[in-house]
Amino acid sequence: MPLTPSLLLCPVCRGPLSSVEADRGRSLTCPGGHRYDAARQGYFNLLTGSGTKFAADTAEMVQARVDFLSSGHYQPMAQEVARLVAGAVPDARSVLDAGAGTGYYLGAVTRSLPGTAAVALDISKFALRRAARALPAATCLVWDVWRPLPLADASVDAVVNVFAPRNVPEFRRVLSTNGILMVVTPQPEHLQEIRSLAGMLDIGGEKENRVAAAVKDHFRAEQTSHCEYSMNLSAADIRNVALMGPSARHLDRDLLGNTLAKIPESIPVTASFSLQLFRAA
Ligand SMILES: C[S@@+](CC[C@H](N)C(=O)[O-])C[C@H]1O[C@@H](n2cnc3c(N)ncnc32)[C@H](O)[C@@H]1O
Ligand SMILES: [Zn+2]
């Protein structure tokens, strides 16, 4: 897990965090003597001892996400995100994925920007275990995006945010001059064929406008793209897509099971995403 010096800040005293060479980079320390040891899987839990009121994704949700993403159904969107980010900041030295989950999108972005330092931040240690395994070169940090980020001012060239909470002033602070923010949200048509069947939450039609309004004091809108295509989803895919998101917390499992039992081999389901690219203003 190579670290980028001067990128990370100690969450306690805001001093610079550096890796302990004698410990093969498996510990981070600051001049104030605070120390963070990597978990066995390679991520750093910077939230130790400072619980949070936000519900992290559970192991079950993370497993469903890993299984769904590995089926490739969101790959066209991931590739489009990577293409847009690489086109917008071709010389990026570092990229932060805020709410990185299992690192699927950060992986796509860093493959299109070879040599770029990658930071995956998420509140779920179950998700970051996967991210750390999938992206051994990335720095994976368990952290709450609603707290001051453990990153120095102007230390990253791109922030990627896919279906995850956004702390806009903090994203702006950590971004370099001319850095970009890429926000991906689902469109109302996303998964429309299976939302009610699987008891999933509806998607508000105003998401894109809400994102634009939330960032407008800190960023200038550069480009909005829509990525829409049809997926052929099996019953297993539908179960995973239902269980991997926020709907999982209030899903009716019996309804889901009954619905899935009636699914033929696969059904066509719409994928529809908004990809909004903003430039630090
Ligand atoms: C719907 S998932 C999306 C994950 C990933 N971007 C993806 O699309 O595969 C939302 C992610 O945000 C994370 N998350 C939720 N609240 C958070 C917070 N306060 N701070 C950091 N991450 C948070 C969850 O743990 C989860 O991994
Ligand atoms: Zn410190």
Side-chain angles (χ1 to χ4, degrees), residues 12-89:
V12 175
C13 68
R14 311 293 291 168
L17 272 183
S18 49
S19 60
V20 180
E21 287 315 319
D23 202 13
R24 288 176 290 114
R26 295 195 64 85
S27 308
L28 297 171
T29 53
C30 73
H34 302 113
R35 181 187 173 108
Y36 308 88
D37 295 325
R40 190 166 44 84
Q41 298 88 351
Y43 65 87
F44 293 94
N45 186 353
L46 302 184
L47 274 181
T48 318
S50 56
T52 175
K53 60 184 161 62
F54 294 97
D57 275 15
T58 61
E60 184 194 41
M61 289 165 79
V62 170
Q63 186 60 52
R65 183 165 309 121
V66 167
D67 292 343
F68 184 78
L69 291 174
S70 67
S71 66
H73 297 299
Y74 282 3
Q75 200 187 5
M77 184 267 275
Q79 279 171 345
E80 187 59 3
V81 169
R83 189 183 72 78
L84 290 169
V85 171
V89 280

Side-chain angles (χ1 to χ4, degrees), residues 219-274:
F219 291 90
R220 105 185 109 75
E222 187 157 297
Q223 185 183 347
T224 297
S225 321
H226 296 129
C227 181
E228 186 166 304
Y229 52 91
S230 179
M231 308 176 285
N232 276 319
L233 299 190
S234 66
D237 292 329
I238 295 170
R239 180 180 178 280
N240 288 331
V241 84
L243 292 182
M244 76 185 202
S247 305
R249 299 187 198 283
H250 17 92
L251 264 183
D252 179 337
R253 306 265 168 150
D254 290 339
L255 174 66
L256 180 61
N258 292 339
T259 308
L260 295 181
K262 294 185 208 122
I263 300 273
E265 204 171 318
S266 66
I267 58 170
V269 177
T270 305
S272 183
F273 309 100
S274 165

